[in-house]
Amino acid sequence: MPSPHFMNIAHRGASSYAPENTFASFDKALELGTAHIEFDLHFSADGHIVVIHDDTVDRTTDGSGAVADLTLAQLRSLDAGAWFSTEYAGAAIPTLAGLLERYKGRFHFHIEIKGKTPGLSQRTADLVRGFGVKDSVTITSFDPGSLEELAPYAPELPRGWLVRELNDSTVARAQEMGLTLLCPHADAVTPEVVQDLHGKGFTVRAWGIAGQELMRRVVDAGADGATVNFPDKLDAYLKGL
Ligand code: G3P
Ligand code: CA
């Protein structure tokens, strides 16, 4: 039986159905009744925090270049929807502030610190505090430095480490960092692994689910949550449909 509290997290929004990391994909997650969204953050050249996955704008907009080399005005002028479908032409790259303003009280926010620029996790915490959403936020990163930078600055914010390889050394490092949330790739999530991590006091949140078979395996393994591009399908599985 899956946990009744399994976190069904819309990955970059409901990104199977609308362009990732845009209001369209987060609105779609809302429409599907999803309680959790995940998204990725970078700094713009002029120090604003923007919601985009890649280091460059090339894949998901009509522009080109590194996010960190473009100003907020330049980033906001790009079309972040047409690459996905003409239906979404004109969608913009959101700012973190705009996202928190729009969806405050409507989601739990799983915020991934993607850019490695020092200060990004702390400036994110400033905005989270400013919008009064600290109880609806989990901060994650593949970069342990970003999580370590955040810990003394915003100890009230839950942190989770996204690990590409789950092994004794990454588990020990997570314990050293004082983490209680570990996010392994879904391929590594088995009932034995989940039991072991639960025994060590971790919540287990999987990432990297490309299809429904892996989604079902993660749920059946007893994990506590997962990011998926199709939260409606995960919801149906959790409800036994
Ligand atoms: O759920 C975490 C997941 O988003 C990590 O992978 O590449 O989508 O940021 P990525
Ligand atoms: Ca992510």
Side-chain angles (χ1 to χ4, degrees):
M1 276 289 287
S3 156
H5 305 297
F6 191 95
M7 290 178 286
N8 177 358
I9 307 164
H11 177 235
R12 313 181 198 170
S15 56
S16 280
Y17 310 115
E20 65 180 58
N21 284 329
T22 65
F23 285 168
S25 64
F26 302 128
D27 285 352
K28 186 69 187 173
L30 260 190
E31 187 192 314
L32 295 173
T34 315
H36 300 255
I37 53 169
E38 187 267 358
F39 53 87
D40 307 278
L41 299 182
H42 289 265
F43 269 135
S44 67
D46 48 350
H48 293 272
I49 302 178
V50 291
V51 180
I52 185 168
H53 180 272
D54 297 0
D55 291 342
T56 74
V57 298
D58 298 35
R59 180 178 62 87
T60 57
T61 78
D62 58 347
S64 68
V67 176
D69 289 342
L70 298 167
T71 64
L72 180 62
Q74 289 170 321
L75 290 164
R76 294 281 293 168
S77 73
L78 300 176
D79 186 321
W83 69 275
F84 186 87
S85 150
T86 51
E87 184 190 342
Y88 295 105
I93 296 172
T95 61
L96 175 60
L99 187 156
L100 295 179
E101 173 78 50
R102 183 179 176 96
Y103 299 110
K104 177 181 172 173
R106 303 166 90 185
F107 285 123
H108 186 98
F109 303 108
H110 295 256
I111 300 177
E112 183 181 344
I113 307 296
K114 188 62 96 178
K116 291 213 177 84
T117 322
L120 180 55
S121 61
Q122 296 187 350
R123 296 294 75 77
T124 296
D126 291 343
L127 278 176
V128 165
R129 287 169 173 160
F131 280 92
V133 292
K134 72 176 176 58
D135 295 331
S136 309
V137 159
T138 301
I139 307 285
T140 63
S141 188
F142 283 105
D143 173 31
S146 295
L147 298 173
E148 283 170 334
E149 173 192 274
L150 184 66
Y153 187 77
E156 77 276 20
L157 297 182
R159 297 168 299 141
W161 189 17
L162 294 154
V163 286
R164 291 204 167 79
E165 207 178 314
L166 185 69
N167 54 40
D168 289 348
S169 124
T170 47
V171 171
R173 179 91 194 266
Q175 288 173 318
E176 279 160 28
M177 288 196 285
L179 301 178
T180 55
L181 171 63
L182 201 45
C183 309
H185 191 280
D187 282 338
V189 175
T190 64
E192 296 73 28
V193 162
V194 172
Q195 199 176 14
D196 179 56
L197 292 176
H198 280 170
K200 291 176 171 140
F202 289 106
T203 297
V204 181
R205 203 201 84 179
W207 62 276
I209 292 178
Q212 291 187 66
E213 192 194 325
L214 191 50
M215 172 195 87
R216 289 191 285 269
R217 273 191 6 227
V218 163
V219 172
D220 294 348
D224 306 290
T227 45
V228 287
N229 301 349
F230 34 79
D232 53 335
K233 296 192 168 71
L234 176 51
D235 189 46
Y237 188 61
L238 291 169
K239 288 175 173 157
L241 302 175

